Amino acid sequence: MPSTELLVAFAAATLIFAYMPGPAMLYAAAQTLAKGRRGGMMAALGIHIGCYIHVIAAVFGLAALMALVPALYTVLKVVGAFYLVWLGIAMIRGARGENPEVTISSRSPRRAFVDSMLVEILNPKTAIFFVAFLPQFVDPAAALPVWAQLLILGTIVNIAFSSADIVVILAAAAAMARLKASRMTQAALRWIGGTVLIGLGAKLALDRG
């Protein structure tokens, strides 16, 4: 493995990136507002699983292909952006349902898991992040092969990011618990969550990076 100094630098950088407010935290909060704490946790799990796709892509060099083929990056970005907007619109439409309690059903968290996993997989920025970040902390002279180091470091980064998402989810759930669980309140929370998702989708589509 890399030297102790390199690992300390890796840990510090990972924590800074993980707990820096960003789109992933907003997404996790939006899912929690719309689907409750369980839905938020399932969304975090979906993001976590989807992130491993990017870790594996970085390990096998697939993510680097995206940097070399701009069209591939653009296609994934546009598809991911439209999917986020679609999720936001569906969330807002759900706020108009006759029984808001049905929206936080046993199906809702499972759907949050699938949706979140797809959103993460379709986010090319995650792939570019891993392919740019992980190699900086790899030691080619170490006993472990480079691919194993990338896999281990990527897993650590993924766990750190998921821990930050969980903190946000618990905070959002606590805030929800203080609100009166009325039909109007639940509808308003879904409107807020849906608007956040649409905003994230628009930002992803319009971002030049």
Side-chain angles (χ1 to χ4, degrees), residues 68-191:
L68 297 175
V69 184
L72 178 59
Y73 176 90
T74 302
V75 168
L76 278 178
K77 185 177 76 169
V78 171
V79 172
F82 274 104
Y83 191 62
L84 272 172
V85 172
W86 180 81
L87 289 177
I89 293 174
M91 195 173 286
I92 291 174
R93 290 180 63 187
R96 301 175 180 176
E98 295 181 358
N99 186 2
E101 295 181 358
V102 174
T103 62
I104 308 181
S105 64
S106 60
R107 291 183 58 190
S108 189
R110 289 197 296 269
R111 183 59 184 267
F113 169 78
V114 175
D115 288 342
S116 302
M117 185 169 61
L118 289 175
V119 164
E120 184 65 13
I121 291 173
L122 291 172
N123 184 3
K125 288 197 168 185
T126 304
I128 299 300
F129 168 78
F130 277 112
V131 81
F133 181 70
L134 296 182
Q136 299 181 49
F137 304 97
V138 168
D139 183 4
L144 279 177
V146 171
W147 69 265
Q149 294 182 57
L150 288 171
L151 186 60
I152 293 171
L153 294 174
T155 300
I156 294 172
V157 170
N158 197 9
I159 292 173
F161 274 68
S162 292
S163 71
D165 291 340
I166 290 173
V167 170
V168 171
I169 290 165
L170 292 177
M176 287 178 60
R178 295 184 179 182
L179 299 174
K180 185 178 179 180
S182 65
R183 178 177 178 179
M184 182 176 297
T185 299
Q186 290 188 17
L189 290 176
R190 291 185 68 86
W191 270 92

